[in-house]
Structure formats: C-alpha cells, structure tokens
C-alpha cells in the first residue's frame, strides 16, 4: 500500500451487514472480523445487522443505510455463493446506480492465490448507490480478511495513492 503521509486520514463511517440463515450476531465471526479490521484501521462502525438470505429484507436494509447521511459505506458478508439461498448479489444489483465490476474481479483474482479454482463460486460484487459504496463479500472469515486486506484497506484509506474511493465520495452524487 502506498500511503502519502502528507495527506490526512479521513475515517469512513461503515455499516456491516451479515447475511445468514444459520448464524446469530453472537456467532457472527465474519461480521466480527470486519468490525475488528475496520475499527483497527481507524474507521467508524456506523451500524451493524444480521439478516436472513431474503432479497426483500436485504434490499430494505441497504436502502435504509444508503439513505442515512451518517453512513458512507456498507460492507456485507455472506450470501454471495451459487446456491438457491444465496441472494446478496441480486440485492446489491437492485439498489445499484453503478456497479463496480473491478471489485469482484480483483477479489476473485486475490482469492485464486489462496483457494484456487474454488474462487469461481464467489459472486463478490460492489456498487455505488445514491452516493454510498456497497461491497458484498463472501461469508467466510478468510474471504472477509482477503477482501479487506487485499482491496478495501487501501481503497478506503484517504491517504492511498495514486487514488482511492474516499477521495471520490464528494462526487458520487454528481449527474
């Protein structure tokens, strides 16, 4: 990571959503991992929730957070696989103004180095919706860590050069 020490660090206000039919917040290791990583980096946990694999429920929660001016970014974990119950990418697509295809592509490229061809089962994705970033990661703690350490830690750091997602935040609502 290239950090420009001349630039100020700007904390991002991040909401974390775990999508699971089988976990509770008390058993949510992936969500706990995300919260730990983002707070250790100096960002602010704006909210946290756990929902079942239900498109309407996920879309509703995403819309609520997207419309909340106290939230800059949403990280989801879970529901990105290929089974019938995995619906997080469909929910992300429903709220998206612009997809960020490079996020999923880069995630799978990084993941390939660790799990090989099994990475094709991940539908990690990202979008911008009404000025808010939404990043959907798989539900394993390893995948969450890979997505944070390999992509999000640098792109959500305002000091990262040559560019980062934070510097674009004031312009995300432009028409």
């Amino acid at each position: 990571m290239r950090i420009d020490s001349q630039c100020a660090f700007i904390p991002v206000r991040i909401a974390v959503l775990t999508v699971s039919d089988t976990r509770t917040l008390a058993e949510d290791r992936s969500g706990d991992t995300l919260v730990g990583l983002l707070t250790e980096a100096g960002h602010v946990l704006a909210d946290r929730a756990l929902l079942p694999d239900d498109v309407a429920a996920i879309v509703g929660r995403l819309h609520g957070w997207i419309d909340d001016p106290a939230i800059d970014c949403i990280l989801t974990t879970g529901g990105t696989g290929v089974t019938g119950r995995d619906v997080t990418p469909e929910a992300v697509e429903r709220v998206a103004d612009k997809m960020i295809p490079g996020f999923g592509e880069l995630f799978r490229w990084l993941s390939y180095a660790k799990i090989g061809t099994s990475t094709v089962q991940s539908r990690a994705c990202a979008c911008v919706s009404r000025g808010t970033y939404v990043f959907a990661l798989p539900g394993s703690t390893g995948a969450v860590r890979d997505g944070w350490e390999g992509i999000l830690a640098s792109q959500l750091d305002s000091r990262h050069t040559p560019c980062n997602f934070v510097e674009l935040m004031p312009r995300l609502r432009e028409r």
Side-chain angles (χ1 to χ4, degrees):
M1 185 179 345
R2 295 168 290 192
I3 296 294
D4 182 348
S5 59
Q6 306 282 326
C7 294
F9 177 79
I10 300 169
V12 177
R13 298 165 302 189
I14 302 172
V16 174
L17 174 62
T18 299
V19 177
S20 176
D21 285 335
T22 60
R23 295 183 207 160
T24 65
L25 277 176
E27 306 161 330
D28 181 17
R29 291 186 12 225
S30 297
D32 290 343
T33 298
L34 272 177
V35 169
L37 290 167
L38 73 90
T39 56
E40 286 170 23
H43 299 295
V44 176
L45 177 63
D47 202 357
R48 183 173 179 186
L50 186 142
L51 292 173
D53 296 276
D54 177 88
V55 173
I58 298 166
V59 167
R61 175 62 66 156
L62 292 177
H63 278 307
W65 282 344
I66 289 162
D67 291 335
D68 185 339
I71 295 174
D72 303 311
C73 178
I74 301 166
L75 305 179
T76 75
T77 175
T80 62
V82 297
T83 72
R85 296 290 301 154
D86 294 320
V87 296
T88 303
E90 286 77 12
V92 170
E93 289 172 6
R94 287 192 189 177
V95 302
D97 293 329
K98 290 186 179 185
M99 296 301 294
I100 308 172
F103 177 80
E105 295 161 359
L106 181 54
F107 175 83
R108 284 180 285 282
W109 181 78
L110 293 167
S111 180
Y112 179 77
K114 295 187 177 183
I115 65 169
T117 59
S118 295
T119 194
V120 300
Q121 295 180 28
S122 167
R123 297 186 303 138
C125 61
C127 75
V128 175
S129 179
R130 298 189 306 281
T132 302
Y133 289 111
V134 180
F135 300 98
L137 294 164
S140 75
T141 56
V144 162
R145 189 170 295 282
D146 291 345
W148 180 266
E149 293 173 353
I151 307 169
L152 295 171
S154 58
Q155 282 299 296
L156 293 177
D157 190 325
S158 56
R159 304 165 300 170
H160 182 265
T161 62
C163 57
N164 60 73
F165 284 135
V166 179
E167 67 190 7
L168 298 176
M169 285 180 176
R171 298 180 52 214
L172 292 178
R173 294 179 187 263
E174 288 178 348
R175 292 281 175 217

